[in-house]
Amino acid sequence: MENPFNHGPEYLAYLESLPKEFFLKILENIYLGIYVSDRDGNTIYANPAITRHYGKRPEELVTYSNWGIWQGIVSPPAYKEVFEKKRTLFYRQMHFFSKEILTTIAIPVFDRNQDIDLLIGITQDNIVKFDRSYDEIYYQNTAESKSNFKGIIGESKIYLQELLTLRRAAKSKTSILILGESGTGKSLAARYVHNCSKRKEQPFLEINCAAIPENLLESELFGYVPHAFTGANPKGKKGLFQLANHGTLFLDEIGDLPLSLQAKILFVLETGKFLPIGSEKYIEVDVRIISATNQDLEQLIEEKKFRDDLYWRINAISSIIPPLRERKDDIVPLAFHFLQQNNRENGTNKKMDPLFISYLLQYDWPGNVRELKNIIERCYILSPGYNISPDKFPRKIKSLDVDTPYESQGTFDEMMTAYERDIIRACYKKEKNITKVQKRLGLSQNKAYRLVKKHCADLEK
Ligand SMILES: Nc1ncnc2c1ncn2[C@@H]1O[C@H](COP(=O)(O)OP(=O)(O)OP(=O)(O)O)[C@@H](O)[C@H]1O
């Protein structure tokens, strides 16, 4: 048997073991019209569905010896051209008598000398009424469709459920607290709430409370009057609360908000007004607050670093965005989405190979969606060809794959040390404690201590 698809020997043997009746059953029952001509244009096979398209029964067709018969039936005829162009052709044809439009694919099959051996024609009429279309099914089950929000990707039940909660909460003015590990998509979720709300035409402003020093944070949030303090803009400055009036203000990393500002924010939330720095006149605002953090706020309350009254105010509704490792169904759609972004920006059409995808699914993604996005971008940039293959993965991801074809990365001892390092570091990052690493990996106390010291010195600081 010819093996143009380079099947492995086992699969090839399996195919050869299947009985002829099995293949006949498939061909005869397929709803698409199929016929096969030899290199001289003699029709050597036609399946029953072809009758629906061309009004001729298979036995009538195979007795004709020349593909020229099609010239009086469909226009334009495809088959002569396939012999000239020697490639698959896609045609829209019209049936002369019924005036129906047919979609036809004419596929040349080559012999060892690259001459056309057979020609396969596949024909489909366009009158088929689809019971369901892929787009419809796919779209119904994705975050983009459920959310009406372009660029939010997800198919896992737990993620879609979280988006549903947020969408419902968006309808009111209630404060929302979004929790989740870093990189899970909390900021994106905040935007999503805004877009689902009546405020979507109004401003959406965000500030990262951890990234700005306390004194600047206050003037960013509340603004100041002219000459409020030395170094201030003489014209004064409007704060985010004022700029976001009628819209949404997103307070990212709210766990890092200094206590003094927590009191001020609580006041705005309770009264709907605030004093800009240096002013004695309250400004009234109507702002929806969404906050996010990856810290444990209840723990911060116990440590007296976060006010519990503010906590209850911002937490009218809370949503926990699950880490990516708990919603593996989202990994592939997200990866495709990020790859498409890169393809679009660069006018390319790179594809991920199946091994690449299996690596994606095996990894734990401690940096969540952000890490996935970065890895896809990195692999996209580093893969020069059409195919994105996993050899561009960072070693920490590759080391998880036990089925990787062997490729030498040094001596046996060097590879074992690298492997040991990956395991210990991954475990220590997760457990953050030597005793837990010891238990998790079933090590002796001494060995756990020695390995963590050896491989995780930088993580211990
Ligand atoms: N469901 C999603 N669909 C598409 N892109 C996503 C999704 N979730 C996250 N991203 C992308 O992943 C990156 C990280 O998301 P985002 O900044 O919202 O995370 P975060 O939880 O707010 O992170 P941090 O805690 O560090 O502030 C962003 O580029 C974001 O657009």
Side-chain angles (χ1 to χ4, degrees), residues 143 151-154 159 163 180-189 208 250 252-253 292-294 327 334 337-338 369-370 373:
I152 190 159
I153 305 299
Y159 186 60
L163 292 185
E181 290 177 14
S182 181
T184 44
K186 297 186 294 299
S187 310
L188 192 71
N208 186 326
F250 173 47
D252 199 3
E253 313 285 4
T293 182
N294 52 28
R327 45 182 172 117
L334 279 164
H337 170 71
F338 296 135
V369 185
R370 180 177 295 116
K373 188 175 179 181

Short mmCIF file of all heavy atoms in Angstrom, two decimals, residues 143 151-154 159 163 180-189 208 250 252-253 292-294 327 334 337-338 369-370 373, ligand 1:
data_model
loop_
_atom_site.label_atom_id
_atom_site.label_comp_id
_atom_site.label_asym_id
_atom_site.label_seq_id
_atom_site.Cartn_x
_atom_site.Cartn_y
_atom_site.Cartn_z
N ALA A 143 -16.84 32.37 26.39
CA ALA A 143 -16.98 33.57 27.19
C ALA A 143 -17.29 34.78 26.31
O ALA A 143 -18.08 35.63 26.67
CB ALA A 143 -15.69 33.80 27.96
N GLY A 151 -12.66 39.62 23.11
CA GLY A 151 -11.34 39.48 23.71
C GLY A 151 -11.35 38.81 25.06
O GLY A 151 -10.31 38.68 25.69
N ILE A 152 -12.50 38.39 25.56
CA ILE A 152 -12.51 37.64 26.82
C ILE A 152 -12.77 36.19 26.45
O ILE A 152 -13.79 35.85 25.88
CB ILE A 152 -13.51 38.20 27.85
CG1 ILE A 152 -13.31 37.56 29.20
CG2 ILE A 152 -14.95 38.06 27.43
CD1 ILE A 152 -13.88 38.38 30.35
N ILE A 153 -11.78 35.35 26.71
CA ILE A 153 -11.81 33.98 26.20
C ILE A 153 -11.94 33.01 27.35
O ILE A 153 -11.28 33.17 28.39
CB ILE A 153 -10.49 33.68 25.44
CG1 ILE A 153 -10.25 34.73 24.35
CG2 ILE A 153 -10.48 32.28 24.88
CD1 ILE A 153 -11.31 34.80 23.28
N GLY A 154 -12.75 31.99 27.18
CA GLY A 154 -12.88 30.97 28.20
C GLY A 154 -14.01 30.03 27.85
O GLY A 154 -15.00 30.47 27.27
N TYR A 159 -15.25 29.13 34.91
CA TYR A 159 -14.96 30.51 34.50
C TYR A 159 -16.23 31.17 33.96
O TYR A 159 -16.55 32.32 34.31
CB TYR A 159 -13.85 30.50 33.45
CG TYR A 159 -13.36 31.88 33.07
CD1 TYR A 159 -12.82 32.74 34.01
CD2 TYR A 159 -13.45 32.33 31.75
CE1 TYR A 159 -12.38 34.01 33.66
CE2 TYR A 159 -13.01 33.60 31.40
CZ TYR A 159 -12.48 34.43 32.35
OH TYR A 159 -12.05 35.69 32.01
N LEU A 163 -18.20 34.57 35.23
CA LEU A 163 -18.58 35.71 34.37
C LEU A 163 -20.07 35.99 34.47
O LEU A 163 -20.49 37.14 34.44
CB LEU A 163 -18.20 35.43 32.90
CG LEU A 163 -16.71 35.37 32.59
CD1 LEU A 163 -16.50 35.21 31.09
CD2 LEU A 163 -15.96 36.62 33.07
N GLY A 180 -8.35 36.63 43.29
CA GLY A 180 -7.72 35.61 42.45
C GLY A 180 -6.22 35.83 42.40
O GLY A 180 -5.74 36.93 42.68
N GLU A 181 -5.53 34.76 42.04
CA GLU A 181 -4.07 34.85 41.96
C GLU A 181 -3.66 35.86 40.89
O GLU A 181 -4.46 36.20 40.01
CB GLU A 181 -3.50 33.48 41.57
CG GLU A 181 -3.64 32.47 42.66
CD GLU A 181 -3.13 31.09 42.22
OE1 GLU A 181 -2.45 30.99 41.18
OE2 GLU A 181 -3.42 30.13 42.93
N SER A 182 -2.41 36.25 40.96
CA SER A 182 -1.89 37.20 39.98
C SER A 182 -1.98 36.60 38.57
O SER A 182 -1.67 35.43 38.36
CB SER A 182 -0.44 37.52 40.34
OG SER A 182 0.04 38.44 39.43
N GLY A 183 -2.43 37.43 37.63
CA GLY A 183 -2.47 37.01 36.23
C GLY A 183 -3.68 36.19 35.83
O GLY A 183 -3.76 35.70 34.70
N THR A 184 -4.65 36.05 36.72
CA THR A 184 -5.83 35.24 36.36
C THR A 184 -6.81 36.00 35.48
O THR A 184 -7.72 35.41 34.89
CB THR A 184 -6.59 34.76 37.62
OG1 THR A 184 -6.69 35.86 38.52
CG2 THR A 184 -5.91 33.60 38.29
N GLY A 185 -6.66 37.33 35.43
CA GLY A 185 -7.57 38.12 34.59
C GLY A 185 -8.53 38.97 35.40
O GLY A 185 -9.65 39.23 34.97
N LYS A 186 -8.07 39.44 36.57
CA LYS A 186 -8.97 40.25 37.42
C LYS A 186 -9.26 41.60 36.77
O LYS A 186 -10.39 42.07 36.77
CB LYS A 186 -8.35 40.43 38.82
CG LYS A 186 -8.17 39.11 39.57
CD LYS A 186 -7.70 39.30 40.98
CE LYS A 186 -6.30 39.87 41.08
NZ LYS A 186 -5.27 38.99 40.45
N SER A 187 -8.20 42.22 36.21
CA SER A 187 -8.42 43.54 35.58
C SER A 187 -9.37 43.40 34.40
O SER A 187 -10.26 44.24 34.19
CB SER A 187 -7.11 44.14 35.06
OG SER A 187 -6.16 44.10 36.07
N LEU A 188 -9.18 42.32 33.64
CA LEU A 188 -10.06 42.10 32.49
C LEU A 188 -11.50 41.91 32.97
O LEU A 188 -12.45 42.45 32.37
CB LEU A 188 -9.59 40.84 31.75
CG LEU A 188 -10.19 40.61 30.38
CD1 LEU A 188 -9.66 41.62 29.39
CD2 LEU A 188 -9.88 39.22 29.88
N ALA A 189 -11.65 41.19 34.08
CA ALA A 189 -13.00 40.96 34.63
C ALA A 189 -13.63 42.29 35.06
O ALA A 189 -14.84 42.49 34.91
CB ALA A 189 -12.92 39.98 35.79
N ASN A 208 -3.46 51.23 40.15
CA ASN A 208 -2.85 50.13 40.90
C ASN A 208 -2.34 50.69 42.22
O ASN A 208 -1.36 51.43 42.27
CB ASN A 208 -1.71 49.55 40.06
CG ASN A 208 -1.12 48.33 40.72
OD1 ASN A 208 -1.07 48.24 41.95
ND2 ASN A 208 -0.70 47.38 39.91
N PHE A 250 -11.67 51.41 39.06
CA PHE A 250 -11.15 50.08 39.42
C PHE A 250 -9.91 50.25 40.29
O PHE A 250 -8.89 50.80 39.86
CB PHE A 250 -10.82 49.32 38.13
CG PHE A 250 -10.14 47.99 38.38
CD1 PHE A 250 -10.61 47.10 39.33
CD2 PHE A 250 -9.02 47.64 37.64
CE1 PHE A 250 -9.98 45.88 39.56
CE2 PHE A 250 -8.37 46.43 37.86
CZ PHE A 250 -8.86 45.55 38.82
N ASP A 252 -7.10 48.46 41.73
CA ASP A 252 -6.37 47.19 41.66
C ASP A 252 -5.42 47.10 42.85
O ASP A 252 -4.92 48.12 43.33
CB ASP A 252 -5.59 47.15 40.33
CG ASP A 252 -5.21 45.73 39.96
OD1 ASP A 252 -5.59 44.80 40.67
OD2 ASP A 252 -4.53 45.57 38.92
N GLU A 253 -5.15 45.90 43.30
CA GLU A 253 -4.28 45.64 44.47
C GLU A 253 -4.74 46.45 45.67
O GLU A 253 -3.94 47.12 46.33
CB GLU A 253 -2.81 46.02 44.17
CG GLU A 253 -2.26 45.51 42.86
CD GLU A 253 -1.93 44.04 42.86
OE1 GLU A 253 -2.20 43.39 43.88
OE2 GLU A 253 -1.46 43.55 41.83
N ALA A 292 -9.82 44.84 43.37
CA ALA A 292 -9.25 43.51 43.15
C ALA A 292 -8.01 43.33 44.01
O ALA A 292 -7.34 44.32 44.34
CB ALA A 292 -8.88 43.32 41.68
N THR A 293 -7.76 42.11 44.37
CA THR A 293 -6.52 41.82 45.10
C THR A 293 -6.20 40.34 44.99
O THR A 293 -7.09 39.52 44.77
CB THR A 293 -6.63 42.20 46.60
OG1 THR A 293 -5.39 41.94 47.23
CG2 THR A 293 -7.73 41.43 47.31
N ASN A 294 -4.90 40.03 45.13
CA ASN A 294 -4.54 38.62 45.26
C ASN A 294 -4.12 38.31 46.69
O ASN A 294 -3.59 37.25 46.98
CB ASN A 294 -3.45 38.21 44.25
CG ASN A 294 -2.26 39.12 44.31
OD1 ASN A 294 -1.98 39.70 45.36
ND2 ASN A 294 -1.56 39.27 43.20
N ARG A 327 -8.82 25.35 35.61
CA ARG A 327 -9.77 25.43 34.48
C ARG A 327 -9.01 25.13 33.19
O ARG A 327 -8.81 26.00 32.34
CB ARG A 327 -10.47 26.78 34.44
CG ARG A 327 -9.56 27.97 34.65
CD ARG A 327 -10.36 29.26 34.64
NE ARG A 327 -9.55 30.39 35.01
CZ ARG A 327 -9.30 31.42 34.22
NH1 ARG A 327 -9.76 31.45 33.00
NH2 ARG A 327 -8.57 32.42 34.66
N LEU A 334 -7.43 29.87 25.01
CA LEU A 334 -6.64 31.08 25.28
C LEU A 334 -5.37 31.08 24.43
O LEU A 334 -4.99 32.10 23.85
CB LEU A 334 -6.26 31.16 26.77
CG LEU A 334 -7.34 31.70 27.71
CD1 LEU A 334 -7.02 31.35 29.15
CD2 LEU A 334 -7.51 33.21 27.55
N HIS A 337 -6.13 32.01 21.01
CA HIS A 337 -6.45 33.45 20.96
C HIS A 337 -5.16 34.28 20.93
O HIS A 337 -5.01 35.19 20.10
CB HIS A 337 -7.30 33.78 22.19
CG HIS A 337 -7.52 35.23 22.42
ND1 HIS A 337 -8.34 36.00 21.62
CD2 HIS A 337 -7.02 36.07 23.37
CE1 HIS A 337 -8.35 37.23 22.07
NE2 HIS A 337 -7.56 37.31 23.12
N PHE A 338 -4.22 33.94 21.81
CA PHE A 338 -2.98 34.73 21.86
C PHE A 338 -2.16 34.52 20.59
O PHE A 338 -1.54 35.45 20.08
CB PHE A 338 -2.17 34.39 23.11
CG PHE A 338 -2.88 34.76 24.39
CD1 PHE A 338 -2.93 33.89 25.47
CD2 PHE A 338 -3.53 35.97 24.51
CE1 PHE A 338 -3.60 34.22 26.64
CE2 PHE A 338 -4.21 36.33 25.67
CZ PHE A 338 -4.24 35.44 26.73
N VAL A 369 -2.95 33.23 33.34
CA VAL A 369 -3.15 33.59 31.93
C VAL A 369 -2.01 34.49 31.43
O VAL A 369 -1.58 34.40 30.29
CB VAL A 369 -4.51 34.29 31.73
CG1 VAL A 369 -4.77 34.55 30.27
CG2 VAL A 369 -5.63 33.45 32.32
N ARG A 370 -1.51 35.33 32.33
CA ARG A 370 -0.41 36.22 31.90
C ARG A 370 0.79 35.40 31.45
O ARG A 370 1.43 35.69 30.44
CB ARG A 370 -0.02 37.18 33.02
CG ARG A 370 1.10 38.12 32.60
CD ARG A 370 1.48 39.13 33.64
NE ARG A 370 0.42 40.06 33.91
CZ ARG A 370 -0.21 40.17 35.06
NH1 ARG A 370 0.13 39.38 36.08
NH2 ARG A 370 -1.17 41.05 35.25
N LYS A 373 0.14 33.81 28.09
CA LYS A 373 0.23 34.81 27.02
C LYS A 373 1.71 35.07 26.67
O LYS A 373 2.09 35.10 25.50
CB LYS A 373 -0.43 36.10 27.51
CG LYS A 373 -0.58 37.14 26.45
CD LYS A 373 -1.34 38.33 26.99
CE LYS A 373 -1.45 39.38 25.91
NZ LYS A 373 -2.15 40.56 26.34
N1 LIG B 1 -10.23 35.27 29.85
C1 LIG B 1 -9.25 35.93 29.24
N2 LIG B 1 -9.31 36.11 27.90
C2 LIG B 1 -8.32 36.77 27.25
N3 LIG B 1 -7.25 37.31 27.85
C3 LIG B 1 -7.14 37.17 29.19
C4 LIG B 1 -8.13 36.48 29.94
N4 LIG B 1 -7.77 36.51 31.24
C5 LIG B 1 -6.62 37.18 31.30
N5 LIG B 1 -6.23 37.59 30.08
C6 LIG B 1 -5.01 38.34 29.74
O1 LIG B 1 -3.98 37.94 30.66
C7 LIG B 1 -3.23 39.04 31.11
C8 LIG B 1 -3.32 39.17 32.62
O2 LIG B 1 -4.67 39.53 32.97
P1 LIG B 1 -5.00 40.65 34.08
O3 LIG B 1 -4.01 41.76 34.04
O4 LIG B 1 -6.44 40.99 33.94
O5 LIG B 1 -4.73 39.76 35.37
P2 LIG B 1 -4.81 40.20 36.90
O6 LIG B 1 -5.42 39.06 37.61
O7 LIG B 1 -5.48 41.52 37.02
O8 LIG B 1 -3.28 40.31 37.25
P3 LIG B 1 -2.60 41.04 38.57
O9 LIG B 1 -3.11 40.31 39.77
O10 LIG B 1 -1.15 40.81 38.36
O11 LIG B 1 -3.03 42.47 38.50
C9 LIG B 1 -3.79 40.26 30.39
O12 LIG B 1 -3.02 40.49 29.22
C10 LIG B 1 -5.20 39.83 30.01
O13 LIG B 1 -5.67 40.52 28.89
#
